[in-house]
Amino acid sequence: NVFIASSDNASELQVVSAAVPALPALLGILDLASGSATADALSIVLSGDTAYMGRQNSGAPEFYAVNILVPAQPLLTSALELDSDIRSLDISILRNIAFAATSDAGNDFQTISVADSAAPALLGALDLADASVDLVYNETLDRNFITSSSDTQELQVIAPYP
């Protein structure tokens, strides 16, 4: 199955069956209807039976945990207000921490505990001096690789645990 963070305001999470690659089929959807009806989902990362999603800042939570055990019926597990767009997400499965690249100018990089998917919690944040755009976490290296819109620091490498 393919899990998609969507700009469709009635189905921000879309689950597509690709069992027959020539005939992909919509299997399930989840509407993250809260706050602004026009806030798009921007990012998604999977860990086991949970999809973690980030969406635009809208006065409603921007970080979501969704149970995807039954892909045709995704269920909202929890939500966390971060007060900024979550442009990109990745996760450390070993540490149970989600990493977020956000639009918050003072806290571009944020860490979120997902040890309990029913109660995610903000652990910390870092100002990268410019808006982070995308990130990738490498579990083996224990490093985040972050791109930004900075003219002098387009790529930044962060060791979350020195």
Side-chain angles (χ1 to χ4, degrees):
N1 295 318
V2 179
F3 296 84
I4 301 168
S6 169
S7 62
D8 183 332
N9 293 315
S11 57
E12 287 87 353
L13 172 61
Q14 298 181 6
V15 184
V16 176
S17 171
V20 180
L23 297 170
L26 186 63
L27 190 59
I29 64 167
L30 180 65
D31 182 6
L32 300 176
S34 59
S36 172
T38 61
D40 297 334
L42 301 174
S43 54
I44 188 169
V45 64
L46 307 179
S47 177
D49 296 329
T50 304
Y52 296 99
M53 300 184 67
R55 82 186 262 199
Q56 290 175 317
N57 184 12
S58 65
E62 291 81 30
F63 182 81
Y64 293 85
V66 179
N67 181 314
I68 55 171
L69 181 62
V70 180
Q73 298 174 328
L75 299 171
L76 182 62
T77 303
S78 62
L80 177 65
E81 173 64 47
L82 295 176
D83 202 29
S84 64
D85 296 353
I86 300 180
R87 297 175 171 158
S88 182
L89 283 171
D90 212 337
I91 194 162
S92 168
I93 295 168
L94 296 175
R95 299 183 188 280
N96 288 314
I97 294 176
F99 302 103
T102 76
S103 64
D104 185 333
N107 297 300
D108 309 78
F109 176 76
Q110 298 184 18
T111 57
I112 302 161
S113 171
V114 293
D116 179 359
S117 63
L122 181 64
L123 294 174
L126 178 64
D127 181 4
L128 298 178
D130 213 331
S132 57
V133 176
D134 198 4
L135 70 80
V136 173
Y137 175 72
N138 182 293
E139 192 91 54
T140 304
L141 298 174
D142 194 23
R143 299 288 185 271
N144 280 282
F145 298 87
I146 303 170
T147 59
S148 76
S149 57
S150 170
D151 291 335
T152 59
Q153 299 176 350
E154 291 87 357
L155 176 64
Q156 299 179 48
V157 181
I158 297 176
Y161 298 93

